[in-house]
Amino acid sequence: MNNIVEFFSPAWNFFVHNLFSIAALTISVYTLWKGRKHLSFTFQKDISILPFKSIFCFDKDGNKLTYDICLMTSISIVNPSSSDIGYFDLRVFDTNTNINLNFLTSRTLPPDLDDKRVFYQATEGLRQLDIPTRNFGTFKSNSFSRMDIVIIIPDNLDTNSISIDIKYPKVQLFRSKRDPFAISNRKVFAHQGIHYSFPNGLQTDLLNSISEQSVPKEYLISMLLNQLIELAKSKL
């Protein structure tokens, strides 16, 4: 019994004499843990080929400005932290070439537009989209955010994979965790992303989708010609 008392007595004395220091250390560790940078991203699992000219906005005279062929998906973000967290390098790109693709933000709309709202004419009705303001910004503390990513497809794009990626200011020490597609010197920061595949090729999927809609023949012919040109290039 005496041996047990002798064993615990120094530990008890240390605890009593350093109680305030231990309490301060505990509070500091908890504050550091609670204030850590943490974001939860949920990427929509699929990407939609939208009906022809179903994405649009309005100019100051009320005229509709439409976009021909678009893909759309979305990202949901939760910031459970007690502080605001910024994001940057939001990009959409061809996974095969790592070349950026245009997507809608408030800053990429025509500069003379006073109304920056963008709409989607869905089969169930008109829907206002939550497009990002630009490719960087801030997620407020204890907030939920949603981004509708509307990708503008050029006529000559033929790929089997499109990627979306976004970074936030948390340094990744391990190279395996860093963005392998980064095109800036900010590759050391944490990122989240997703790859969307088109096994038959994007142009084939677009043609199959558009052929079922009321699309001008000239547009279909242009897409077919572009597909034939890309096919010829691949065989050279």
Side-chain angles (χ1 to χ4, degrees):
M1 185 68 179
N2 290 334
N3 291 335
I4 296 175
V5 172
E6 290 176 0
F7 176 80
F8 282 104
S9 182
W12 175 253
N13 290 333
F14 175 84
F15 178 79
V16 170
H17 286 100
N18 294 277
L19 179 61
F20 290 106
S21 297
I22 294 172
L25 178 62
T26 302
I27 292 172
S28 298
V29 171
Y30 174 75
T31 302
L32 184 64
W33 176 82
K34 189 174 177 62
R36 74 196 190 284
K37 290 183 173 66
H38 175 67
L39 294 171
S40 175
F41 292 86
T42 302
F43 290 82
Q44 186 173 319
K45 292 183 179 180
D46 56 357
I47 190 166
S48 302
I49 299 176
L50 301 183
F52 191 68
K53 292 184 181 294
S54 60
I55 296 291
F56 57 90
C57 52
F58 294 99
D59 65 16
K60 59 183 178 181
D61 297 320
N63 299 313
K64 185 186 290 187
L65 304 176
T66 60
Y67 294 88
D68 292 342
I69 300 297
C70 300
L71 305 179
M72 186 168 72
T73 187
S74 66
I75 312 172
S76 298
I77 310 98
V78 176
N79 177 10
S81 309
S82 57
S83 59
D84 298 349
I85 299 178
Y87 71 91
F88 49 93
D89 289 354
L90 172 61
R91 61 187 295 248
V92 180
F93 57 96
D94 182 338
T95 315
N96 298 321
T97 63
N98 203 20
I99 294 176
N100 287 341
L101 301 175
N102 291 329
F103 65 99
L104 290 185
T105 70
S106 298
R107 290 300 182 97
T108 61
L109 295 174
D112 58 338
L113 286 184
D114 295 326
D115 186 351
K116 299 294 185 180
R117 293 178 301 169
V118 174
F119 299 92
Y120 168 46
Q121 184 60 63
T123 53
E124 61 272 15
L126 189 65
R127 175 185 155 199
Q128 181 179 338
L129 300 180
D130 296 313
I131 63 170
T133 303
R134 52 179 72 181
N135 69 342
F136 62 92
T138 302
F139 299 121
K140 295 294 184 180
S141 64
N142 301 307
S143 68
F144 171 84
S145 303
R146 174 189 168 91
M147 294 179 177
D148 290 314
I149 306 298
V150 180
I151 307 166
I152 310 302
I153 301 300
D155 294 343
N156 60 349
L157 177 65
D158 192 14
T159 183
N160 59 13
S161 180
I162 287 177
S163 298
I164 299 175
D165 200 88
I166 185 171
K167 293 185 178 63
Y168 56 100
K170 177 183 177 181
V171 175
Q172 291 286 16
L173 298 177
F174 300 102
R175 291 182 179 273
S176 59
K177 297 289 187 178
R178 297 177 182 176
D179 178 13
F181 295 95
I183 56 176
S184 72
N185 58 0
R186 295 179 290 275
K187 65 174 63 180
V188 298
F189 292 104
H191 76 105
Q192 293 287 332
I194 190 171
H195 305 302
Y196 294 106
S197 297
F198 305 90
N200 298 320
L202 177 60
Q203 285 291 329
T204 299
D205 289 350
L206 287 175
L207 281 169
N208 291 338
S209 176
I210 291 175
S211 62
E212 300 174 358
Q213 306 171 34
S214 299
V215 178
K217 292 181 179 180
E218 294 81 4
Y219 198 93
L220 285 172
I221 292 172
S222 174
M223 289 191 66
L224 284 169
L225 286 174
N226 283 324
Q227 191 172 25
L228 290 173
I229 291 171
E230 293 300 321
L231 181 62
K233 286 181 180 178
S234 66
K235 292 185 176 181
L236 291 177

